[in-house]
Amino acid sequence: WFAKISSAPGIPWMLVVPCRRGFVEFFILDSSLFCRHHKSHLYPSLHLKAVPMLMGNCLLLFLWCLLDKSFVSPLHSSSQSRMGKEQHRNLMAHRKHGMMGVHRVKRGWVWNQFFVLEEYMGSDPQYVGKLHSDLDKGDSMVKYTLSGEGVGSIFTIEPSTGDIHALRSLDREEKPYYTLRAQAVDMLTGRPLEPESEFIIKVQDINDNEPRFLEGPYSASVPEMSPVGTYVTQITATDADDPTYGNSARIVYSILFGQPYFSVDPKTGIIRVALPNMDREVKEMYQVVIQAKDMGGQLGGLAGTTTINITLRDVNDNPPRFSKSIFHLRVPESSPVGSSVGRVKAHDLDSGKNAEVEYSIVPGDGGSMFDIYSNKNTQEGTVILKKRLDYETRKAYTFKVEASNAVLDHRFLHLGPFKDTATVKVNVLDVEEPPVFSKLSYSMETYEDTPVGIIVGAVTAEDLDVGNSPVRYSVEWRKDSENYFDIDPVEGTLSVSEALDRERNTEHNVTVVATKVNNPLLSSKVTVTVKVLDVNEFPPELAFAYETFVCENAKVGQVIQIISATDRDMPAVEHRFYFKSPSQTRNRNFTIRDYGNNTAGVVTRRGGFRRLEQSMYLVPVVVEDGGYPIRSSTGTVSVRVCTCDTDGSLLSCNAEAVFFPMGLSTGALMAILLCIVILLVMVVLYMGLRKHKKKDTLMSSKEDIRDNVIHYDDEGGGEEDTQAFDIGTLRNPKGIKEMAQLQKIRSEDEADRASACMSNEDSEDIRAYIHHCLLENSTPPYDSLVTYAYEGEGSVAESLSSIESWVLEPKEDYRNLCDWGPRFKTLAGIFKEHECKDTEKAENETHAEALNDRLD
């Protein structure tokens, strides 16, 4: 009757009882039975659905509990109270000695999960459950604390009793469970009596969500003429309720609209064909409404609906059929080959590829003149003209056209042949046509010397219509070419109107127009090609003005030159030339030998030619052609007598060939002379560079520092002049600072002097002082030897020159120099000239800027 009895942490005893739906787990605690399968609370009684299943097993359950001491002892209340007292005494002892947590205390109050009903609509907070510790004796010394998800906002606990309440309504679909942590602490000290435990509060599901079709409305298709039970599609509805609890999420499908054509499986939602032989040509679209209801379809369940649009796919179950048995077509006889004669059409009730019709002409007498083309877009057959029509020859054609499906479905071949036949009658319409020439083109020949008016040939055209109108001929006049031919308007004979020249134009294209007399608007054209034949009117000539030589030691019968000829005439096959010596003269020195291949050779008839006796011979050559009449001409070959070696190589023919024995030509001599001139230029340049290098070596050394001997011939202080500067500064760069201080003192003195010059009152005293100083020095001048180790602007001592000293202080005013006396007149003039130049330059720049501004 029961499978097992087991113990689990936090749950004293668990009983697993088999039932019709599997196993039901019950927990026994404090004389209360808890059903885990049906998620009942700690109620004294079982869940209502579990009571009928356990009524027959209650007696056996209690008898077994009495026999098993180990199972009965936990349920005895007296032993439980004794255990609580002992634990309380131990707890008080631990509080006194401050030894909390040394010994493990058994917990009997924490469950692994509680349940709360979702969508609670009551006014008071919903009771969830109760936390109770074995150490709680009801003396309000134990305080219960709660932490975790939703504590304070969703869940609250009574600290003294451990009762848990839900403050607001919960939705299982939003959050199915909450994880909380509970702990029992001492009311006075706040110290935990037991370790913190974690438990779960699950939201108990109710049927508050209807089934939904998330992908609707749906579309599906099924072939027409499908048998009953053919799969169409499958739909699925979802329910947000808990599928593991009750029947809230148990969905049953049913069809509301769409019968008797289709059916739906109540459990799987598979839609199938319910009516046989559904024809697409009768009805193509079907709309089916499916309902999904939870609670297993029972009364009170929630439902949702969706729409399915089902289309019948076409199959080839209909053959093509002509709308009529005979098609009458008409075509003008002038229609070109490949033009459309008319259209025929066979109708097919199917669609797509199943409705594609292929047309063909049944072999017969009239079918050879026509062809038919199948148009897949319009499903029509276009009759095309295959050959030219002639009303005068045949006025009507009759043939049969067959229409058949390109794609066949073998399941429906028993219904009959999938093809149809119709008769096509084509009537040829008479059209007044232009004259027709006997040939598509004409070709004629005539000689270039044909006299004017001679007939070259004739063309012929006739009217093939019933009226048989007379035809008149004419030559189409062209502006871009000359007209050499005329035509007889009645007979159509072509004659020469101008002299022909084959060398100018070898071929003429003449366009002849034939026009009907009864209808001049109808005309036709033909091309006549007249080829001009050549007449032998030009004699042949030597191909070149041949000039050759013969050696003085030449032997008899030696060929000294090969000759050929050209002819301006154009022979029918090819040219044939004949070479010979003139018959009226006999040449004892040379003769002409004809080789028979349009070439000939000049051959010596004797030996022992002497250049000094005769240096040049003229050999006449007669050239004849093979035309009619025969034309000939006489040419001349120049033969020069030259000196040759034993091998026959040319050595010398005249004085101009002096250099030939050495194998040097005029170009080679010019190259040799050019090389000699280049060598001479190179030698001259080399000598010039050597002379220039010798001059540079005298002053090339940068280390050559020489002493400059300065000799003073002018009057002055002699050695006293050297006191104006410190020579040691030039040799010792470190003394530049002292030199700078000295220059500063001098600049201050010069400024004082300048200010004195600015005063007109002191000018007389200054002139007297300068005059006194000039007369004071009565000692002769001395020579001084000054050595400059470094000088110039790049040296530490800077420049010692006084030439540009006026540039360093451009702001000095030297206008008072004129007041110092006649000795400073020259110096004042120099500075005044310089100042005037600067002023003029500034004025010019100002004038140029003003001019540019005006131009702008």
Side-chain angles (χ1 to χ4, degrees):
W1 290 101
F2 51 86
K4 65 177 181 178
I5 297 176
S6 60
S7 175
I11 302 174
W13 302 103
M14 180 177 68
L15 175 63
V16 182
V17 180
C19 65
R20 57 177 177 170
R21 296 183 59 185
F23 293 93
V24 181
E25 298 178 353
F26 296 94
F27 304 117
I28 300 174
L29 182 64
D30 294 336
S31 301
S32 298
L33 195 62
F34 173 73
C35 176
R36 183 175 182 180
H37 179 75
H38 294 281
K39 304 175 184 175
S40 301
H41 300 285
L42 294 176
Y43 297 143
S45 61
L46 295 176
H47 196 278
L48 294 177
K49 292 184 178 181
V51 171
M53 293 184 293
L54 299 177
M55 289 296 293
N57 300 329
C58 289
L59 180 61
L60 294 175
L61 178 62
F62 285 109
L63 290 176
W64 185 84
C65 291
L66 292 174
L67 295 175
D68 193 344
K69 296 180 181 180
S70 60
F71 182 74
V72 175
S73 58
L75 298 177
H76 202 278
S77 60
S78 61
S79 61
Q80 196 173 40
S81 62
R82 288 196 302 269
M83 184 182 297
K85 292 180 180 180
E86 292 177 359
Q87 290 178 354
H88 183 69
R89 286 196 298 269
N90 293 334
L91 179 61
M92 297 303 296
H94 292 324
R95 290 176 180 174
K96 294 179 180 180
H97 295 86
M99 300 175 62
M100 284 296 297
V102 176
H103 297 283
R104 181 178 181 274
V105 180
K106 179 181 179 182
R107 293 180 297 161
W109 59 276
V110 178
W111 287 79
N112 62 345
Q113 64 182 357
F114 289 99
F115 298 90
V116 59
L117 190 66
E118 72 167 332
E119 303 293 344
Y120 176 72
M121 303 301 294
S123 59
D124 298 333
Q126 183 181 3
Y127 179 76
V128 178
K130 183 180 182 63
L131 298 179
H132 183 73
S133 175
D134 293 339
L135 302 179
D136 188 0
K137 302 303 178 181
D139 53 359
S140 300
M141 296 301 296
V142 179
K143 177 182 178 181
Y144 298 95
T145 62
L146 192 66
S147 62
E149 296 178 314
V151 174
S153 60
I154 300 176
F155 301 101
T156 182
I157 188 172
E158 181 65 30
S160 59
T161 62
D163 293 332
I164 302 175
H165 291 83
L167 300 177
R168 61 181 177 86
S169 177
L170 301 178
D171 188 1
R172 190 200 66 84
E173 288 71 33
E174 181 180 350
K175 188 173 180 63
Y177 64 89
Y178 296 86
T179 302
L180 302 176
R181 294 180 299 277
Q183 191 172 31
V185 299
D186 187 86
M187 181 68 75
L188 299 178
T189 62
R191 295 181 178 179
L193 301 177
E194 293 185 5
E196 188 178 47
S197 298
E198 185 177 84
F199 64 96
I200 296 174
I201 297 179
K202 297 188 69 175
V203 181
Q204 186 73 35
D205 182 54
I206 64 173
N207 188 19
D208 58 342
N209 293 279
E210 71 277 3
R212 296 179 181 272
F213 294 94
L214 302 180
E215 299 179 0
Y218 299 86
S219 297
S221 63
V222 64
E224 64 173 334
M225 310 300 290
S226 297
V228 176
T230 302
Y231 174 85
V232 179
T233 185
Q234 182 179 10
I235 58 174
T236 303
T238 60
D239 196 325
D241 293 328
D242 189 1
T244 63
Y245 174 72
N247 295 327
S248 298
R250 184 185 173 190
I251 299 174
V252 175
Y253 300 94
S254 61
I255 185 167
L256 299 181
F257 181 79
Q259 295 175 340
Y261 306 104
F262 300 95
S263 63
V264 63
D265 188 279
K267 294 182 179 180
T268 61
I270 296 177
I271 300 174
R272 301 180 183 274
V273 175
L275 187 67
N277 300 326
M278 287 192 297
D279 193 357
R280 185 197 67 85
E281 287 74 30
V282 176
K283 185 177 181 180
E284 184 177 3
M285 295 291 297
Y286 293 87
Q287 192 174 71
V288 180
V289 179
I290 300 297
Q291 182 190 64
K293 191 173 184 180
D294 59 8
M295 297 299 294
Q298 298 178 5
L299 185 64
L302 303 178
T305 60
T306 188
T307 302
I308 305 171
N309 297 316
I310 301 176
T311 304
L312 295 182
R313 294 197 303 269
D314 182 66
V315 296
N316 193 10
D317 58 340
N318 295 282
R321 290 288 181 265
F322 284 106
S323 59
K324 51 186 177 181
S325 59
I326 300 176
F327 290 88
H328 294 276
L329 304 177
R330 295 185 298 175
V331 57
E333 63 172 339
S334 60
S335 299
V337 175
S339 61
S340 175
V341 177
R343 295 180 177 87
V344 297
K345 185 173 183 179
H347 298 275
D348 194 326
L349 298 178
D350 297 324
S351 63
K353 290 187 174 296
N354 296 324
E356 291 182 0
V357 180
E358 291 184 350
Y359 297 91
S360 61
I361 295 178
V362 178
D365 181 42
S368 60
M369 295 292 295
F370 303 93
D371 199 356
I372 192 167
Y373 168 73
S374 300
N375 190 335
K376 295 183 179 180
N377 297 324
T378 61
Q379 304 302 328
E380 293 179 336
T382 304
V383 180
I384 299 173
L385 185 60
K386 191 175 181 181
K387 297 179 181 180
R388 294 281 299 181
L389 297 175
D390 188 8
Y391 175 80
E392 289 72 25
T393 304
R394 187 169 180 177
K395 298 178 176 59
Y397 296 87
T398 302
F399 55 91
K400 290 186 178 182
V401 175
E402 183 180 81
S404 60
N405 280 136
V407 179
L408 298 179
D409 195 334
H410 298 282
R411 295 176 300 173
F412 305 101
L413 292 180
H414 65 278
L415 299 178
F418 279 77
K419 60 183 178 179
D420 195 13
T421 305
T423 302
V424 178
K425 290 186 177 182
V426 180
N427 295 322
V428 181
L429 302 178
D430 184 25
V431 177
E432 192 173 1
E433 300 173 309
V436 178
F437 285 94
S438 60
K439 296 181 182 179
L440 297 178
S441 62
Y442 293 85
S443 180
M444 303 176 185
E445 293 181 352
T446 183
Y447 285 97
E448 61 179 334
D449 60 348
T450 301
V452 175
I454 299 300
I455 296 175
V456 177
V459 296
T460 304
E462 60 179 342
D463 183 16
L464 301 180
D465 293 332
V466 179
N468 194 11
S469 173
V471 179
R472 294 293 179 261
Y473 304 95
S474 63
V475 175
E476 187 178 42
W477 183 71
R478 297 181 181 178
K479 295 181 179 180
D480 55 347
S481 62
E482 299 179 3
N483 294 317
Y484 292 91
F485 302 93
D486 287 334
I487 192 169
D488 186 274
V490 178
E491 300 296 334
T493 56
L494 205 65
S495 61
V496 179
S497 61
E498 294 184 11
L500 303 177
D501 187 2
R502 190 204 62 81
E503 286 70 29
R504 181 184 299 177
N505 198 345
T506 60
E507 191 176 84
H508 297 271
N509 292 321
V510 182
T511 301
V512 178
V513 181
T515 308
K516 293 175 67 172
V517 175
N518 295 340
N519 190 356
L521 297 177
L522 295 177
S523 62
S524 58
K525 298 179 182 180
V526 70
T527 301
V528 179
T529 303
V530 180
K531 187 175 183 182
V532 181
L533 301 178
D534 183 47
V535 175
N536 193 17
E537 55 184 337
F538 297 100
E541 298 175 352
L542 292 178
F544 305 99
Y546 290 99
E547 293 183 0
T548 184
F549 70 94
V550 62
C551 297
E552 290 181 328
N553 56 357
K555 299 179 180 179
V556 178
Q558 184 176 347
V559 178
I560 62 175
Q561 182 65 44
I562 302 298
I563 59 177
S564 61
T566 59
D567 195 339
R568 288 184 291 172
D569 293 322
M570 183 63 66
V573 183
E574 63 178 2
H575 284 293
R576 180 68 177 92
F577 300 114
Y578 303 93
F579 302 89
K580 64 180 178 179
S581 298
S583 58
Q584 63 273 16
T585 58
R586 180 175 178 81
N587 193 335
R588 295 181 299 118
N589 300 312
F590 303 96
T591 185
I592 303 301
R593 182 183 299 171
D594 192 347
Y595 294 123
N597 57 355
N598 291 341
T599 61
V602 180
V603 183
T604 58
R605 300 187 67 179
R606 69 178 182 89
F609 293 92
R610 296 292 180 266
R611 184 178 56 173
L612 297 178
E613 295 178 359
Q614 185 176 352
S615 61
M616 180 71 69
Y617 293 90
L618 297 178
V619 181
V621 179
V622 177
V623 184
E624 295 181 351
D625 59 11
Y628 180 82
I630 296 175
R631 303 287 183 178
S632 64
S633 66
T634 303
T636 302
V637 178
S638 300
V639 180
R640 187 185 298 275
V641 180
C642 298
T643 303
C644 302
D645 57 8
T646 57
D647 297 334
S649 300
L650 182 64
L651 295 179
S652 175
C653 288
N654 47 39
E656 296 178 355
V658 175
F659 295 101
F660 280 115
M662 299 176 61
L664 298 177
S665 62
T666 304
L669 292 176
M670 295 297 294
I672 293 173
L673 291 176
L674 181 61
C675 291
I676 293 173
V677 172
I678 293 173
L679 289 175
L680 291 176
V681 173
M682 292 177 64
V683 170
V684 172
L685 292 176
Y686 176 72
M687 296 300 294
L689 290 174
R690 291 195 60 183
K691 291 180 180 181
H692 182 68
K693 185 175 182 182
K694 289 180 179 181
K695 291 180 180 181
D696 291 344
T697 54
L698 296 176
M699 299 297 294
S700 61
S701 177
K702 297 181 180 179
E703 303 296 332
D704 187 7
I705 301 175
R706 300 179 180 273
D707 296 337
N708 297 324
V709 179
I710 301 175
H711 179 72
Y712 293 90
D713 293 333
D714 298 335
E715 56 183 5
E719 293 181 354
E720 294 178 358
D721 292 341
T722 60
Q723 297 178 1
F725 58 89
D726 188 6
I727 299 177
T729 303
L730 300 177
R731 298 186 181 276
N732 185 13
K734 295 182 180 180
I736 191 170
K737 296 182 179 181
E738 299 176 0
M739 192 66 184
Q741 295 177 359
L742 182 59
Q743 290 178 356
K744 184 176 180 182
I745 295 172
R746 288 180 180 177
S747 62
E748 294 176 357
D749 293 339
E750 290 174 358
D752 295 337
R753 293 176 184 176
S755 62
C757 292
M758 292 296 293
S759 178
N760 293 328
E761 299 177 356
D762 299 337
S763 60
E764 294 295 336
D765 296 336
I766 293 173
R767 284 198 296 270
Y769 175 78
I770 294 175
H771 182 70
H772 176 71
C773 291
L774 292 175
L775 298 177
E776 183 181 11
N777 190 7
S778 60
T779 58
Y782 293 94
D783 297 336
S784 61
L785 179 63
V786 183
T787 302
Y788 296 93
Y790 301 93
E791 67 174 311
E793 295 181 355
S795 65
V796 180
E798 299 181 353
S799 177
L800 302 179
S801 175
S802 61
I803 297 175
E804 297 180 355
S805 60
W806 62 272
V807 181
L808 300 176
E809 297 177 358
K811 297 182 180 180
E812 284 290 346
D813 191 2
Y814 298 97
R815 289 178 295 180
N816 295 329
L817 290 176
C818 58
D819 299 331
W820 291 4
R823 296 189 179 187
F824 294 90
K825 184 177 180 180
T826 304
L827 183 60
I830 294 173
F831 285 102
K832 184 176 181 181
E833 182 181 1
H834 178 71
E835 184 177 1
C836 292
K837 290 182 179 179
D838 292 340
T839 304
E840 183 180 359
K841 182 178 180 182
E843 291 177 355
N844 292 334
E845 292 178 353
T846 304
H847 181 67
E849 292 177 357
L851 182 59
N852 292 332
D853 294 338
R854 290 181 180 180
L855 294 175
D856 294 339

